[in-house]
Amino acid sequence: MDISLTGELGDFLRSRRARIRPEEVGLPGHGRRRVPGLRREEVAQLAGVSVDYYIRLEQGRGPSVSDAVLDAIGRVLRLDDTEQQYLRTVARPAARRTAAAVPAPQRVRPGLRLLLDTMEKAPAFVLGRRMDVLAWNALGDAVAGFSQMPAGERNMPRQVFLNPQARELYPDWPAVAAETVAYLRLDAGNHPRDRQLATLVGELSLGSEDFRRLWADHQVKEKTYGAKRMRHPVVGELTMPYETLTVTGEPDQMLVVYTPEPGSQTAERLALLASWAASPAV
């Protein structure tokens, strides 16, 4: 099962050429156009390939395509580095990672769990395939409440789109939602046979109109660093920069660490939260 990625190459290319105005690439923008953006023949002309070749590529029935052709198309469509790599991935189905359709459960190494526990002042957690939450430290749990979630719901997209409290938790919910879908789409491109991912996408599509809209937009984005605002029910608003590190030896696992500036209001509130979480229940 390919999570609707059998047509992903064509869908991705169409979405990208739709966002390029003809005048941006030196073509006349006037005249009747049935679709927004560039026509297929215009992309082919600018990339230096035949129209028939490009049409067959967009329809997913072309021959093995070279890096040079994909790079040329990427330049025409103004793809960033992540989008360009994604194009290479979905353009070569045979070269994609051939993980099992039902992969074995992911495990977090004991050493990585120990590392999490040593980060007493920084909320941290480990994400796996499909953005499942695999492990966390005490402060990460105090911030996000992972331990209070049923095991099957410890998944970031599910929390963002299906948890009614998500819009209250994230003041910038639209940005968080778009970033989440863009990374999930990237994961889907790398693992098109993952049945659990297909099930997750189906569940989110049925449960959230916002997810359906964002998924159809075909945005892809790495989750590397940034900042999130969170509105915690105990300590109030937190502004938390984060860093995301790929776990060596586990390419499908990421260590996410929130890095509040020392002495900031957020750092002070996290210290208060840590003290509150450590207090025994009365």
Side-chain angles (χ1 to χ4, degrees):
M1 187 171 186
D2 276 6
I3 321 168
S4 77
L5 283 175
T6 50
E8 172 61 12
L9 175 59
D11 291 342
F12 181 68
L13 289 172
R14 283 189 290 272
S15 71
R16 289 307 174 270
R17 60 183 172 86
R19 69 182 184 178
I20 304 295
R21 297 194 305 272
E23 53 268 27
E24 292 182 77
V25 292
L27 296 174
H30 56 272
R32 295 185 60 184
R33 287 179 173 267
R34 291 182 298 174
V35 295
L38 297 179
R39 301 184 179 101
R40 291 183 295 188
E41 56 268 27
E42 292 170 336
V43 175
Q45 174 189 348
L46 293 168
V49 299
S50 72
V51 175
D52 180 66
Y53 183 95
Y54 180 80
I55 290 175
R56 286 187 287 118
L57 178 65
E58 196 169 282
Q59 292 176 343
R61 57 186 182 89
S64 178
V65 58
S66 69
D67 284 348
V69 169
L70 293 177
D71 288 346
I73 292 172
R75 285 192 297 271
V76 172
L77 300 179
R78 302 191 174 185
L79 304 185
D80 62 24
D81 291 343
T82 301
E83 291 171 325
Q84 185 67 41
Q85 183 56 49
Y86 185 75
L87 175 61
R88 291 188 181 190
T89 299
V90 297
R92 295 166 176 161
R96 293 187 209 171
R97 299 165 69 171
T98 56
V102 184
Q106 289 186 286
R107 307 294 183 190
V108 176
R109 297 194 302 260
L112 183 54
R113 291 184 180 273
L114 181 60
L115 177 61
L116 283 171
D117 291 338
T118 64
M119 300 179 183
E120 297 180 354
K121 297 183 179 181
F125 52 94
V126 177
L127 291 181
R129 293 270 297 277
R130 303 168 293 276
M131 300 181 76
D132 287 342
V133 182
L134 304 179
W136 54 86
N137 65 3
L139 193 51
D141 193 27
V143 169
F146 296 126
S147 65
Q148 304 304 311
M149 301 174 188
E153 296 181 11
R154 291 174 188 152
N155 170 272
M156 296 305 289
R158 186 174 281 112
Q159 289 299 315
V160 168
F161 289 98
L162 302 183
N163 185 341
Q165 299 175 339
R167 294 173 190 266
E168 179 65 23
L169 177 63
Y170 299 113
D172 305 313
W173 186 87
V176 171
E179 179 186 81
T180 299
V181 174
Y183 183 80
L184 191 66
R185 172 69 76 174
L186 194 64
D187 187 54
N190 287 325
H191 303 284
R193 297 177 59 239
D194 187 338
R195 292 179 183 172
Q196 294 175 358
L197 180 52
T199 299
L200 175 63
V201 170
E203 178 185 350
L204 295 171
S205 297
L206 288 173
S208 171
E209 181 179 349
D210 289 300
F211 178 84
R212 292 197 299 273
R213 173 179 53 81
L214 290 167
W215 185 256
D217 200 31
H218 294 272
Q219 297 295 327
V220 291
K221 183 179 180 182
E222 285 277 14
K223 184 179 176 67
T224 51
Y225 65 93
K228 281 184 180 177
R229 288 198 302 143
M230 302 177 71
R231 189 179 291 117
H232 195 275
V234 174
V235 296
E237 188 163 309
L238 304 168
T239 300
M240 299 203 291
Y242 65 85
E243 296 288 337
T244 300
L245 308 173
T246 300
V247 178
T248 303
E250 299 287 351
D252 291 326
Q253 293 184 16
M254 302 184 299
L255 173 62
V256 182
V257 183
Y258 289 116
T259 56
E261 184 178 349
S264 65
Q265 185 179 65
T266 291
E268 293 174 356
R269 290 180 175 180
L270 285 175
L272 177 62
L273 182 60
S275 176
W276 173 82
S279 299
V282 178

